[in-house]
Amino acid sequence: PQSKSNNFSFNLKTDYNYNWETYFQFSRSYFNYAQVTSSFFQEQTISSVSTGFIYKTDYFLDRLGIGLSYSNGIGTNEYRQLGLRFFTNFIFSNNVSCNLNYNYKHKDNKYDKDYDNSQFKANLSYSF
């Protein structure tokens, strides 16, 4: 048995003024496991970059944002993936809020079928 992994991540957030902020993220991960001579051996390097912006207010619509992402996988599973994200936060009262998140990803696999994936999450919160 054998396992090796290493990860690197760089994140940058910029506040331009009270209302506008942007973010940038880069990460790179590497892993392998099993012996090279084993049929279970896998080796993978994944590089990802994402960026986006957030608009903040002091009103019912507290935050609104959009983000883009790109990932590239090299190794056992070779692929490219593009992503799009929308998110918002509503404040109904001092102790009731709602977060909405939508993520869409398109994965282009080199040796397998391409596919699209989407996810919608809603979170209603009450603070005591």
Side-chain angles (χ1 to χ4, degrees):
Q2 170 183 304
S3 178
K4 179 181 179 183
S5 67
N6 61 51
N7 300 294
F8 171 80
S9 181
F10 174 78
N11 300 288
L12 179 66
K13 179 184 156 210
T14 304
D15 291 323
Y16 293 101
N17 57 39
Y18 178 77
N19 299 104
W20 291 99
E21 68 183 57
T22 60
Y23 63 90
F24 174 82
Q25 182 266 336
F26 173 78
S27 66
R28 186 173 175 95
S29 299
Y30 169 83
F31 73 86
N32 72 25
Y33 60 89
Q35 298 289 337
V36 175
T37 56
S38 167
S39 62
F40 297 106
F41 178 76
Q42 289 193 11
E43 184 173 40
Q44 191 75 35
T45 300
I46 301 169
S47 300
S48 300
V49 64
S50 64
T51 189
F53 71 88
I54 299 168
Y55 180 74
K56 299 181 286 188
T57 72
D58 283 330
Y59 302 106
F60 171 70
L61 177 62
D62 181 50
R63 293 166 39 113
L64 179 66
I66 188 170
L68 299 170
S69 63
Y70 174 78
S71 298
N72 186 43
I74 299 170
T76 303
N77 183 17
E78 296 196 22
Y79 68 89
R80 290 179 306 203
Q81 180 171 279
L82 294 171
L84 179 62
R85 176 179 176 224
F86 298 101
F87 52 96
T88 189
N89 186 41
F90 297 100
I91 303 294
F92 297 114
S93 69
N94 286 340
N95 54 351
V96 178
S97 66
C98 178
N99 298 314
L100 301 176
N101 260 303
Y102 175 75
N103 285 297
Y104 168 80
K105 293 180 180 176
H106 173 76
K107 191 170 189 178
D108 180 14
N109 288 301
K110 187 172 182 178
Y111 303 114
D112 203 356
K113 260 176 76 169
D114 296 351
Y115 68 88
D116 297 310
N117 187 353
S118 62
Q119 178 184 43
F120 177 77
K121 289 193 322 187
N123 183 16
L124 184 62
S125 300
Y126 178 82
S127 298
F128 296 97

